[in-house]
Amino acid sequence: MERSLTMVALFAALIAVLGLFPSFMLFTGVPISAQSFGVMLCGAVLGARKGALAVLLFLLLVALGLPLLAGGRGGLGAFVGPTSGFLYGFPVAAFVTGWIAQNWRGVSLTISAAAGALIGGVGVLYAFGAAGMMLVIGLSLPEAVAALAAFIPGDIIKAVIAGVVTGAIYRARPGFVLTR
Amino acid sequence: MLAMTLEQPTWLHHWPAGLKMAVMAAAMVAFLPVTEPVVIGALVAATAALYASLGTPALRRGLRLLRPLLLVLAVIMAWHLIIGAPRQGAVICLRILGLVALANLVTLTTRLDDMTAVLERLLSPFRRLGLNTAAVSLALALVIRCVPVLTQKGNALMEAWRARSPRRTGFQIAVPLVLVALDDADHLAEALRARGGVARPD
């Protein structure tokens, strides 16, 4: 019980810390933040339920007024802006990532975690992000997808790296990874 | 870790947090159905006047909080100019600006303690359904405590990397950073257990 609580708390902190690192500029020319990387890791390491809880805990702190989002942003304003869809998608993304990672046992954790990160951390997350943009900005679905398209290649790479990182963590601390 | 609350107190700081959130929510709903640029412009101006009434520090901080949004709004406005719908673009941009400014106003004028008190009140009915509110409070405190610690260790890892490699740090520090987080979680759990564990719901 204690270990569950501290793991959830530490991973919530991890999402914040990863968001504080400066964004990377990939060959696509579009900056990618490491924050959704943290969300993917929550699901891949903690599993569906605890991963989602960690993300919810993180979002709760942002709502309470802590500048934990990438770029030092935070507060209630982040939940009503044009990119707020992504925030609402974070916990779902972690849940789906964890669900795939813990249930797809036939392959190594690296592969199932990467698959989970791709489907949950990119697919589901961008669905929420696009929906948010459609609601707030009034875009149509194809327009929202077109606006987000530039960011997707970078996030696909992120998801694969999340899988590799999860596999490495499992080798280093097998007892801590809850998806195996 | 510093919250986003404005240090200089304003008259809005004295309002109860729950009341501010309710009023903000109602005001935000007022923004939603508006389609006339003039009307929504007036609402945004009223919000700006509200900020101004809080004093210069509040106005300046409020503008700073809105700065990241400006680029996005410029893109949205440019898009609407291209497709020949400038009025719709203006309404959308002003609405986003007004809504985010209102939401930020609550965050700016409410202390973390008051926000957590509202949270506790919101969660208390769920205690009967089995939610362990003590665990939630503990978890919140733990995250707040651990973000600076992890950031420091992350910076140490980046420095160690820079000392040995001319390349920029990339995702390579993710593995040691997560291991640090896992080990910290383990130690903290032991410390909790030594103190009698997490309080169970009554």
Side-chain angles (χ1 to χ4, degrees):
Chain A
M1 164 69 172
E2 283 77 17
R3 170 93 92 77
S4 298
L5 189 135
T6 57
M7 295 252 281
V8 166
L10 259 298
F11 267 76
L14 199 58
I15 304 175
V17 173
L18 287 170
L20 292 174
F21 285 122
S23 334
F24 294 88
M25 200 69 85
L26 267 198
F27 53 83
T28 52
V30 161
I32 51 171
S33 89
Q35 194 143 68
S36 61
F37 182 68
V39 172
M40 295 170 185
L41 283 181
C42 277
V45 177
L46 297 180
R49 222 170 45 91
K50 298 208 178 84
L53 275 178
V55 175
L56 284 172
L57 189 59
F58 167 78
L59 288 178
L60 187 55
L61 284 164
V62 171
L64 290 179
L66 294 176
L68 301 177
L69 292 177
R73 299 188 348 260
L76 292 172
F79 290 88
V80 297
T83 52
S84 54
F86 288 94
L87 288 191
Y88 296 106
F90 274 170
V92 185
F95 189 89
V96 172
T97 305
W99 195 88
I100 293 176
Q102 71 195 43
N103 286 310
W104 190 13
R105 295 293 179 118
V107 294
S108 71
L109 181 59
T110 306
I111 297 185
S112 59
L118 278 170
I119 297 175
V122 181
V124 170
L125 185 60
Y126 273 78
F128 273 83
M133 289 176 71
M134 287 166 65
L135 275 172
V136 174
I137 311 178
L139 296 177
S140 67
L141 181 59
E143 285 170 341
V145 171
L148 293 173
F151 298 86
I152 294 185
D155 275 33
I156 291 180
I157 295 177
K158 227 194 293 182
V160 173
I161 295 179
V164 172
V165 167
T166 308
I169 293 169
Y170 183 54
R171 279 191 296 277
R173 301 274 189 282
F176 283 74
V177 173
L178 303 178
T179 41
R180 278 293 179 273
Chain B
M1 192 167 52
L2 290 174
M4 296 169 66
T5 320
L6 191 64
E7 303 79 18
Q8 299 92 332
T10 65
W11 59 268
L12 205 48
H13 275 73
H14 300 300
W15 279 33
L19 178 62
K20 272 185 286 197
M21 288 181 69
V23 171
M24 174 204 79
M28 284 169 62
V29 169
F31 268 83
L32 289 174
V34 178
T35 50
E36 284 297 313
V38 177
V39 178
I40 207 153
L43 285 175
V44 172
T47 310
L50 190 54
Y51 268 88
S53 77
L54 298 174
T56 332
L59 189 57
R60 218 178 304 148
R61 178 75 68 85
L63 287 172
R64 185 147 39 105
L65 285 180
L66 291 172
R67 213 179 320 140
L69 198 54
L70 292 179
L71 179 59
V72 179
L73 292 182
V75 172
I76 295 174
M77 195 62 218
W79 165 252
H80 279 90
L81 284 173
I82 291 174
I83 65 173
R87 272 184 76 221
Q88 194 186 14
V91 169
I92 290 174
C93 286
L94 286 172
R95 181 167 53 214
I96 294 175
L97 193 62
L99 288 177
V100 176
L102 274 178
N104 284 342
L105 196 53
V106 178
T107 299
L108 268 182
T109 59
T110 313
R111 274 169 281 269
L112 187 59
D113 303 336
D114 299 329
M115 288 293 283
T116 45
V118 171
L119 177 68
E120 261 173 67
R121 246 179 305 146
L122 286 172
L123 289 183
S124 54
F126 293 94
R127 217 180 316 161
R128 237 156 288 151
L129 299 168
L131 176 67
N132 188 345
T133 48
V136 175
S137 311
L138 181 57
L140 285 173
L142 273 180
V143 180
I144 294 177
R145 177 71 191 89
C146 289
V147 170
V149 173
L150 272 184
T151 309
Q152 229 175 351
K153 296 190 182 175
N155 286 331
L157 285 169
M158 283 179 77
E159 282 202 30
W161 174 272
R162 266 195 292 261
R164 280 177 299 198
S165 164
R167 291 181 292 152
R168 243 183 6 188
T169 55
F171 287 97
Q172 294 90 340
I173 57 164
V175 175
L177 187 60
V178 177
L179 291 180
V180 163
L182 286 175
D183 292 338
D184 281 356
D186 199 27
H187 298 148
L188 279 172
E190 277 216 39
L192 273 179
R193 273 190 290 262
R195 283 166 183 69
V198 181
R200 298 293 185 275
D202 333 286

